[in-house]
Amino acid sequence: MEPEEAVRQLEYVIDATLDEEGHRSAAGYRPTFERVAERADGTAVYAVAGDLTTRVVDGERPSPAEANDVADRVLDGFAYTDGGE
């Protein structure tokens, strides 16, 4: 998954579940997705998007800092499974 696709996915979820405009809210996660894409692959971006989507569906509004924490956990997992790239 590309960072742009991940942001778009979150836009739709936020529009559908929160009283916020998804386009404006999801844009704050773009740097996180771009960082994940640079350090890993589309699978890692998808994992971060999936985690954030679940949180939004549950009624949460993760901050960009919380999104970075999720990304760090995902990237740490990739470091152990992909040879440390």
Side-chain angles (χ1 to χ4, degrees), residues 11-83:
E11 287 174 10
Y12 299 146
V13 172
I14 290 168
D15 283 344
T17 58
L18 299 178
D19 292 331
E20 296 183 37
E21 183 182 332
H23 179 73
R24 183 186 63 219
S25 298
Y29 303 124
R30 182 178 307 277
T32 299
F33 291 128
E34 290 172 349
R35 179 171 64 92
V36 172
E38 288 172 4
R39 293 189 49 204
D41 62 11
T43 304
V45 174
Y46 184 81
V48 174
D51 185 291
L52 295 176
T53 297
T54 299
R55 291 171 189 235
V56 170
V57 169
D58 289 344
E60 296 178 39
R61 169 58 166 88
S63 69
E66 291 170 320
N68 281 324
D69 290 344
V70 170
D72 288 343
R73 284 193 301 276
V74 168
L75 290 171
D76 285 347
F78 271 73
Y80 294 114
T81 60
D82 72 355

